[in-house]
Amino acid sequence: MSNLCVVGLQWGDEGKGKIVDELAPGYDLVVRYSGGGNAGHTIVAGRKFVLHLVPSGILRDSTRCVVGNGTVIDLVTLLTEIRELEGAGVVLRGRLTVSDRAHVVFPYHYILDGLQDDRADGIGTTRRGIGPCYVDKVARTGFRVADLYEKPFGERFGRVVADKNAAIRAMGGKETCDASALLATVKAQAAALKPFVGDSISLLHEALAGGRSVLFEGAQAAMLDIDTGTYPFVTSSNASAGGVAAGLGIPPRCVERVLGVSKAYTTRVGAGPFPTECAQREGEILRTRGGEFGSTTGRPRRCGWLDIPALRYAVRVSGVDRIALTKMDVLSGLGPVRMAVSYRSRRGRKDGYPATVEELGEVEPEYVEFPGWTFADGISCFGDLPESARRFVREIASRTGVPVAYVSVGAERGALLEVGSG
Ligand code: GDP
Ligand code: IMO
Ligand code: MG
């Protein structure tokens, strides 16, 4: 089995967790390369699991999981997740490795994230400290997991906390961090995490050299990618397939295939451009039927129709060679279904995707409409979908130029149809 990257093609929450869990038995390792506790990946396997940092292959016994150097680790989130998984009987020791080079999210990152997001130009982040932590990484003032175990950590940490408290006060924040209490807490958390910490780069290189197959699990999505997304309404890391090499310390050629995940419609949490967003009632119907509330924050997701121009752009950016289309069941019984196939642009743009929020605000999506379809729960074969549903799927393939390989028809494990080549 060749290495596969599973990547979000929209604005997140496409069902990556479900797809990774379904495919994980075919891989030796499942690896996260970017993002942090802002991700919420849901797997329904007997019961519901929402994973923020632990890769979505963890529920498959034979799979080894790695959280790579490109991620940002909130110790509380990760330790809670580990405890909850172990409580559910999932064996993690010897199966989960957290990179010693991943950066650490501290409480002051949360506070700064909240203060920044409370301002008029806030973008509606998940408030999980992601942006401020990546800022420290790039500014070279951050702490990586390995640093927590080195002697100078305490002293440097004290200085950084003092700087951060000053920054918090300058932004009008009241809540600051007590450096010595925080240091004691972090040391205890670091000790608890120690059995899981390792040299992820060596581990991955050894696995690859030994012919092991790897599934790279994307978090967030192409349209939230710091470089290719709808900036500034994006996250702070490279969520697209391009993030794999740097986020794991492996050569780009290791990404052999890329499976892009898209909902059969579109959702977005937080602010930012959303050309195909539906007006209140239509959007409300999609939200209710699809249970569209954030897996991490519980916020209602904004809903709209499938956006082919955005999808085509995301496919191109990540070199997607197959698509997994999720939540087809949500559209069942809805009545006519729409799909935006192009944007009418006053600027006469012919190719590519608009770079600015201003240009995106001006575009007018042009839609095609499909007769609705209805199918029952428990459908197990693509050929059993109504013709109009299959035509919708074929249309996505022809308009993006890549085949749809899977159609997901329910949240539960197993509710996944393989699309044959015929
Ligand atoms: P991720 O962040 O991409 O892993 O996606 P989330 O887990 O945040 O959100 C996807 C939501 O849709 C979760 O509640 C999943 O359980 C659910 N889901 C995934 N695939 C399907 C599907 O085909 N049908 C339905 N009805 N729900 C799905
Ligand atoms: P998964 O992996 C959906 C969005 C936030 C906000 C923007 C920046 O579950 O698909 P951040 O906290 O990252 O600084 O927020 O990105 N966002 C997500 N939206 N799914 C996610 O992850 C997201 N992670 C971040 O809502 O608009
Ligand atoms: Mg999610």
Side-chain angles (χ1 to χ4, degrees):
M1 187 72 80
S2 50
N3 304 325
L4 174 74
C5 178
V6 174
V7 70
L9 295 179
Q10 300 171 302
W11 281 277
D13 303 328
E14 296 87 353
K16 300 176 290 294
K18 180 196 159 149
I19 298 296
V20 170
D21 169 72
E22 296 275 10
L23 301 183
Y27 294 85
D28 298 305
L29 293 97
V30 176
V31 180
R32 272 278 302 272
Y33 58 90
S34 72
N38 49 350
H41 295 180
T42 312
I43 300 166
V44 183
R47 52 158 280 197
K48 180 171 155 177
F49 295 85
V50 181
L51 302 172
H52 302 287
L53 280 160
V54 174
S56 301
I58 202 71
L59 302 182
R60 304 292 195 169
D61 294 344
S62 59
T63 309
R64 185 152 189 171
C65 290
V66 178
V67 184
N69 57 273
T71 63
V72 287
I73 307 291
D74 168 22
L75 299 168
V76 180
T77 302
L78 181 54
L79 289 168
T80 305
E81 207 161 302
I82 289 173
R83 205 174 42 243
E84 284 175 2
L85 283 164
E86 286 182 335
V90 180
V91 176
L92 296 184
R93 296 274 173 130
R95 288 186 61 219
L96 174 69
T97 301
V98 177
S99 176
D100 50 4
R101 288 176 171 83
H103 276 251
V104 180
V105 180
F106 293 104
Y108 50 77
H109 291 127
Y110 272 65
I111 298 172
L112 289 165
D113 197 5
L115 287 169
Q116 205 165 319
D117 213 47
D118 280 338
R119 301 205 304 208
D121 59 355
I123 64 161
T125 73
T126 59
R127 295 176 179 245
R128 296 298 187 272
I130 305 299
C133 183
Y134 277 116
V135 165
D136 281 358
K137 171 178 175 172
V138 175
R140 295 157 297 184
T141 53
F143 294 96
R144 298 164 311 156
V145 170
D147 300 327
L148 305 179
Y149 306 100
E150 297 290 351
K151 266 227 173 69
F153 171 64
E155 197 196 319
R156 223 193 106 211
F157 190 65
R159 283 201 304 277
V160 169
V161 173
D163 285 350
K164 296 297 174 186
N165 283 341
I168 289 168
R169 282 192 212 97
M171 289 179 79
K174 302 269 176 289
E175 186 194 0
T176 51
C177 297
D178 175 335
S180 57
L182 185 56
L183 180 62
T185 306
V186 169
K187 280 190 168 166
Q189 290 165 336
L193 192 65
K194 191 89 198 276
F196 300 100
V197 175
D199 175 356
S200 60
I201 297 181
S202 297
L203 188 159
L204 286 170
H205 277 267
E206 274 159 35
L208 290 163
R212 303 265 179 276
S213 57
V214 186
L215 190 160
F216 308 109
E217 176 179 2
Q220 291 79 54
M223 304 311 279
L224 288 171
D225 181 292
I226 183 73
D227 281 285
T228 62
T230 47
Y231 192 89
F233 298 90
V234 293
T235 191
S236 300
S237 65
N238 285 118
S240 305
V244 171
L248 295 174
I250 60 171
R253 66 169 178 274
C254 295
V255 182
E256 293 164 296
R257 292 175 311 142
V258 183
L259 178 69
V261 187
S262 170
K263 281 179 188 167
Y265 49 97
T266 308
T267 64
R268 162 160 220 169
V269 211
F274 185 171
T276 62
E277 184 167 17
C278 285
Q280 271 175 345
R281 210 185 70 84
E282 258 182 339
E284 189 63 49
I285 292 170
L286 282 172
R287 184 175 312 116
T288 307
R289 296 176 63 101
E292 296 297 353
F293 296 88
S295 310
T296 298
T297 58
R299 290 179 292 174
R301 296 176 182 145
R302 299 156 63 196
C303 297
W305 297 116
L306 190 65
D307 181 337
I308 294 288
L311 210 56
R312 212 186 283 129
Y313 172 62
V315 160
R316 189 184 236 186
V317 163
S318 282
V320 168
D321 49 42
R322 291 173 311 152
I323 290 174
L325 191 69
T326 61
K327 297 203 137 179
M328 272 295 275
D329 54 305
V330 174
L331 301 183
S332 165
L334 183 77
V337 171
R338 301 216 286 164
M339 174 194 286
V341 294
S342 56
Y343 292 164
R344 197 178 308 128
S345 160
R346 276 184 243 152
R347 303 191 188 191
R349 176 187 280 280
K350 294 270 182 294
D351 191 24
Y353 198 76
T356 62
V357 171
E358 290 73 19
E359 186 178 348
L360 270 168
E362 289 171 14
V363 300
E364 281 172 39
E366 297 177 300
Y367 292 94
V368 294
E369 193 168 283
F370 294 76
W373 56 79
T374 303
F375 58 85
D377 285 352
I379 193 163
S380 60
C381 172
F382 179 72
D384 291 343
L385 282 176
E387 168 53 20
S388 55
R390 281 183 283 140
R391 191 159 75 75
F392 180 81
V393 173
R394 285 198 302 269
E395 192 81 17
I396 294 169
S398 76
R399 289 189 181 271
T400 57
V402 288
V404 175
Y406 302 99
V407 173
S408 177
V409 289
E412 320 76 46
R413 185 186 268 177
L416 188 71
L417 314 178
E418 273 192 57
V419 184
S421 49

